[in-house]
Amino acid sequence: MKSGWGRRGARQPKQLGGGLRGMAGRLSVVMFVLLICTIWLLFSRIWHSSPSSRIQDIDINKLWRTAPAAGWRPSSAPRSYWPSPPTESNGYLRVRCNGGLNQQRTAICNAVLAARIMNATLVLPELDTNSFWHDESGFPGVYDVEYFINTLRYDVRIIAKLPEITSHGKAKKLKAFQIRPPRDAPLNWYTTVALKKMKDHGAIYLTPFSHRLAEEIDDPELQRLRCRVNYHALRFKPHIMKLSHDIVDKLRSQGHFMSIHLRFEMDMLAFAGCLDIFTIEEQKILMKYRKENFAEKKLVYRERRIIGKCPLTPEEVGLILRAMGFDNSTRIYLAAGELFGGDRFMKPFRALFPHLENHSTVMGAEKLEDNAQGLVGAAVDYMVCLLSDIFMPTYDGPSNFANNLLGHRLYYGFRTTIQPDRKALAPIFIDREEGHQAGFEEHVRQIMFKTKFGGPHKRVHPESFYTNSWPECFCQLSPQNPADRCPPDNTLAVLEGQLQSGGSHEVETVKGPNNTVLVE
């Protein structure tokens, strides 16, 4: 007992000294942190109070022009040897493109790629227009079919419908074998699983076909093919193009105009789970819609808001634009479906920006009644947004109308886009709702100043290839990197020569099951 006590007693002064030194060390760290915080707070106050050190206001006049291109220009022509489709293919590919206009466009691009890598003949893609749009016009009702086929003649063979099988002198309808492709399937799924079924049956039918091919492909030539489809071959029908240009001409006759895709609609609000700002009855409607259309999931409004998952309200859109320096003379074209919650959500926006238009107010509802319904109405909005001086999406994502538009405007000469960072803006708007309005516009400007505004920039995940096809679908006339050099101007002539030397485009032979011959 004595020796034990002595050992413990001998250690006590050492422990006491170590404890004092540890306490002193911790106090030093605390004092250092307090000093840093004090300096930061002092600097922050000086920075906020000093006009010379604040983030500068955005020059609105520059935003009405295209963004700086840094010597880049759009180009989706092949940069290397690109053989024409062979006269003999492995079979026929049918696809059914579901979803809205944006999903359908990406699906069409993916279908062309799939046909190319499988050496398949593509049957004109089917558009699932009835379930969502209640519109049975399909691909021929929206897009210029002849132009689509002709533009892609160097890339794939395309026919209007499946042919008949000629076997032993008798003809019968060819039936495509139906497959459900995996989401974001890699290229090798098409060259193995899908191709085997095609060779076995002569034709395959891929449905549903939305996001069924990986976006990031380590083959720049295939990515450029996507751009040729999306930005060249997919041209709307002449009456849609004329109507769109008429609207743009009327809007521009009074100066610059901005287009906004206001995604404050029932389906998006229900999907996002942003319900608390609505009445009890409206919340019931949204919850019912969500239960019927989306997977069950507990969503908390404030949590969704903080992480930027709630669409901006019309008033928030107006406050952002006002903070940026746009005044109430700004002309705005609204591309949107029916806004949820009635006019009470639009009144604050209209008070800030009274010159709000849509395709009905510009051209008159009677003229548009038969010309801009269903998919056609979405196509008109798409073209007006593409041609506008500035475009602003309020909710962008991989399955959203704005996704393709952002990429198309980038390709269409780096046209200005304003992309609000909803996650960064959320705490600023929440503070405002709670009565803390000091410095609101300054804080909004700081966030918006970081926007890319449509100039060339590196694609970083989760940004979609369809949102930003730089650098694959762009080139430079005087590049530092030889890989960025623009292709020669006679690329199309070279491809035409290859096509002609490979045989006629009008006749092809496809070997089907049991060596039956399928003739176009």
Side-chain angles (χ1 to χ4, degrees):
M1 288 290 293
K2 186 182 287 187
S3 60
W5 181 88
R7 284 196 298 272
R8 288 197 298 271
R11 287 185 189 128
Q12 286 176 357
K14 185 176 181 180
Q15 290 175 344
L16 182 61
L20 288 172
R21 284 196 296 271
M23 185 180 294
R26 287 192 293 272
L27 285 172
S28 298
V29 171
V30 171
M31 292 299 293
F32 179 75
V33 170
L34 287 173
L35 180 62
I36 292 296
C37 289
T38 303
I39 294 172
W40 181 87
L41 183 60
L42 182 62
F43 175 79
S44 177
R45 287 176 177 174
I46 294 172
W47 185 84
H48 279 291
S49 62
S50 172
S52 61
S53 59
R54 289 182 190 176
I55 198 163
Q56 293 185 358
D57 289 343
I58 298 165
D59 188 342
I60 301 300
N61 292 323
K62 288 184 179 179
L63 292 184
W64 291 116
R65 302 190 291 271
T66 57
W72 292 90
R73 73 176 189 183
S75 173
S76 55
R79 310 288 200 272
S80 58
Y81 176 65
W82 186 254
S84 297
T87 54
E88 185 175 296
S89 77
N90 290 319
Y92 294 95
L93 173 64
R94 283 180 63 198
V95 299
R96 180 170 171 268
C97 308
N98 55 302
L101 185 71
N102 167 74
Q103 285 174 276
Q104 291 175 0
R105 287 183 74 98
T106 58
I108 294 166
C109 296
N110 288 341
V112 172
L113 254 68
R116 173 76 189 193
I117 63 176
M118 296 169 69
N119 183 26
T121 299
L122 178 65
V123 181
L124 199 67
E126 301 167 22
L127 305 186
D128 176 23
T129 53
N130 193 45
S131 62
F132 184 82
W133 298 100
H134 305 291
D135 176 349
E136 298 180 354
S137 58
F139 193 106
V142 180
Y143 295 105
D144 187 328
V145 174
E146 184 178 351
Y147 184 83
F148 178 75
I149 295 173
N150 185 57
T151 302
L152 297 173
R153 66 188 183 277
Y154 309 117
D155 304 304
V156 292
R157 295 185 182 277
I158 305 172
I159 58 174
K161 60 182 180 179
L162 279 174
E164 294 182 330
I165 296 178
T166 303
S167 178
H168 306 294
K170 295 182 179 180
K172 63 178 181 178
K173 186 177 181 181
L174 176 65
K175 186 176 180 179
F177 182 79
Q178 185 170 324
I179 310 174
R180 183 184 180 94
R183 188 176 175 89
D184 299 321
L187 292 178
N188 62 16
W189 182 87
Y190 289 90
T191 56
T192 54
V193 177
L195 183 57
K196 183 181 184 303
K197 293 296 183 183
M198 178 178 286
K199 289 182 175 180
D200 289 344
H201 299 275
I204 58 173
Y205 182 34
L206 304 183
T207 178
F209 199 71
S210 174
H211 303 293
R212 302 294 158 169
L213 178 60
E215 283 194 15
E216 291 301 330
I217 298 174
D218 191 22
D219 186 336
E221 292 296 9
L222 288 179
Q223 296 290 56
R224 283 189 272 273
L225 175 55
R226 270 179 166 147
C227 292
R228 290 199 291 280
V229 181
N230 205 6
Y231 307 137
H232 296 279
L234 281 176
R235 186 171 73 179
F236 294 119
K237 290 183 72 69
H239 74 280
I240 296 176
M241 299 295 284
K242 183 181 185 306
L243 182 56
S244 304
H245 281 280
D246 287 346
I247 291 173
V248 170
D249 289 344
K250 282 201 169 188
L251 290 168
R252 195 163 282 143
S253 66
Q254 300 183 44
H256 296 297
F257 80 97
M258 173 192 303
S259 62
I260 296 178
H261 185 227
L262 198 56
R263 198 66 170 95
F264 200 72
E265 300 159 0
M266 181 168 64
D267 62 329
M268 180 53 67
L269 291 163
F271 172 76
C274 304
L275 313 181
D276 287 25
I277 59 175
F278 298 101
T279 65
I280 298 298
E281 289 302 315
E282 290 167 344
Q283 289 184 34
K284 288 179 180 178
I285 294 171
L286 291 173
M287 286 188 286
K288 181 176 182 293
Y289 186 92
R290 179 173 179 82
K291 185 176 181 180
E292 293 173 349
N293 294 277
F294 305 113
E296 187 175 349
K297 185 179 180 181
K298 184 179 180 181
L299 300 175
V300 179
Y301 170 70
R302 188 175 179 87
E303 293 176 0
R304 302 289 288 173
R305 182 83 186 276
I306 284 292
I307 61 175
K309 294 298 183 181
C310 289
L312 294 171
T313 68
E315 182 181 19
E316 288 169 348
V317 174
L319 292 171
I320 290 170
L321 294 176
R322 189 178 68 179
M324 291 177 69
F326 292 97
D327 60 33
N328 62 5
S329 67
T330 305
R331 295 181 63 79
I332 297 174
Y333 179 88
L334 293 179
E338 184 178 354
L339 298 185
F340 189 76
D343 194 51
R344 76 176 188 277
F345 284 101
M346 280 301 297
K347 283 181 179 178
F349 188 16
R350 195 175 292 112
L352 292 167
F353 294 95
H355 300 288
L356 300 179
E357 306 275 8
N358 58 35
H359 55 226
S360 296
T361 61
V362 176
M363 300 301 293
E366 292 182 3
K367 183 174 182 180
L368 292 174
E369 187 174 354
D370 298 325
N371 296 319
Q373 301 300 311
L375 264 177
V376 174
V380 170
D381 276 348
Y382 184 97
M383 282 304 303
V384 176
C385 290
L386 174 63
L387 299 171
S388 63
D389 299 297
I390 297 173
F391 172 62
M392 178 181 180
T394 61
Y395 196 96
D396 52 293
S399 299
N400 190 263
F401 175 89
N403 187 49
N404 237 314
L405 266 167
L406 293 170
H408 205 157
R409 286 178 63 86
L410 192 73
Y411 191 84
Y412 195 64
F414 303 104
R415 302 176 81 82
T416 300
T417 60
I418 298 174
Q419 289 179 260
D421 185 338
R422 295 187 305 279
K423 185 176 181 180
L425 289 166
I428 301 172
F429 280 117
I430 291 172
D431 280 349
R432 182 179 180 276
E433 289 168 6
E434 294 174 351
H436 309 298
Q437 300 209 38
F440 170 78
E441 291 196 348
E442 179 69 17
H443 293 149
V444 171
R445 278 195 293 273
Q446 290 172 26
I447 299 298
M448 296 309 300
F449 188 77
K450 299 174 183 176
T451 299
K452 303 178 189 76
F453 296 122
H457 60 278
K458 182 178 177 61
R459 185 169 66 254
V460 178
H461 183 78
E463 191 175 26
S464 164
F465 175 82
Y466 293 100
T467 298
N468 179 12
S469 60
W470 186 89
E472 293 94 333
C473 296
F474 295 82
C475 67
Q476 282 187 314
L477 292 172
S478 302
Q480 293 182 347
N481 183 354
D484 297 328
R485 188 181 306 279
C486 288
D489 293 334
N490 67 339
T491 298
L492 291 181
V494 171
L495 292 174
E496 183 66 32
Q498 292 174 187
L499 183 65
Q500 295 302 325
S501 64
S504 171
H505 179 56
E506 298 301 325
V507 179
E508 68 163 331
T509 301
V510 180
K511 289 183 179 179
N514 302 320
N515 288 322
T516 53
V517 177
L518 314 178
V519 181
E520 177 182 344

